[in-house]
Amino acid sequence: MKGTSGASNGLSLGDKLFGFKNSEVLTSNVALRGIASKPAIAYGVTPTTNVTNNFAVDSTNNRFVVTVDGVKGTVVIPTDSAYSVESFANALEKGINSLANNTNGVPQTVNGVKVSYDYAKSRFVFTSGTTSTDSYIKISGSSNWGLEQVEA
C-alpha cells in the first residue's frame, strides 16, 4: 500500500528518508523466515511382548509415567487379555489426553497426543498435540512395551 503520511508532495516519510519512489508493502500468508514448528515425538524400542497377535496387559505392566508440555501424571490402562496394537495404543492415548495439572491455580490439560505403532521399526511412537519450541513429551513404562528408557 502506498504511504502518504501527510507529506505535501505525496511521498511517505520512508520514501523521503530512503529515497524510495511509490514504495509498497506486500503481505503473504506463508511464513517467509524461520522454520515451521513441529510436535515433540518420543520413540519406544522394540517391545519384548509379541504385539503382532492379541496380548495381555496385567497389573505388572499397565502403568505409565507421562509428561507432556509440563503436565505430568501416571496413566493406568485397564487390564485385559485380548489387547491388539490398536486397542492398546487407543487406551494409552485416551489416558494421556485426559491428564491435567492445576499449578498455582492455573489448570493445564493435555490434548491431541497421538499414540501409534511403527510396524516397520517395531516400536510405539508418541506425538505431542502442540507444535512449538516448547513442545515436550516423555513416557516411561514396562519393557514389555519397549518403554523402559524412552528419550524425551
Side-chain angles (χ1 to χ4, degrees), residues 40-113:
I41 301 175
Y43 301 97
V45 298
T46 302
T48 59
T49 297
N50 180 0
V51 295
T52 58
N53 299 314
N54 284 355
F55 53 88
V57 174
D58 60 36
S59 62
T60 66
N61 59 19
N62 71 334
R63 298 176 70 80
F64 305 86
V65 177
V66 181
T67 305
V68 180
D69 299 335
V71 178
K72 184 176 182 177
T74 300
V75 173
V76 179
I77 64 171
T79 59
D80 194 338
S81 61
Y83 270 101
S84 66
V85 167
E86 290 79 19
S87 63
F88 179 85
N90 287 338
L92 193 49
E93 183 176 297
K94 182 180 177 183
I96 292 170
N97 285 312
S98 64
L99 289 174
N101 278 355
N102 192 340
T103 308
N104 298 326
V106 178
Q108 295 176 294
T109 60
V110 175
N111 293 301
V113 171

Side-chain angles (χ1 to χ4, degrees), residues 3-22:
T4 58
S5 73
S8 60
N9 61 2
L11 296 175
S12 71
L13 182 59
D15 291 343
K16 285 182 185 179
L17 291 174
F18 300 109
F20 299 132
K21 300 284 190 236
N22 300 320

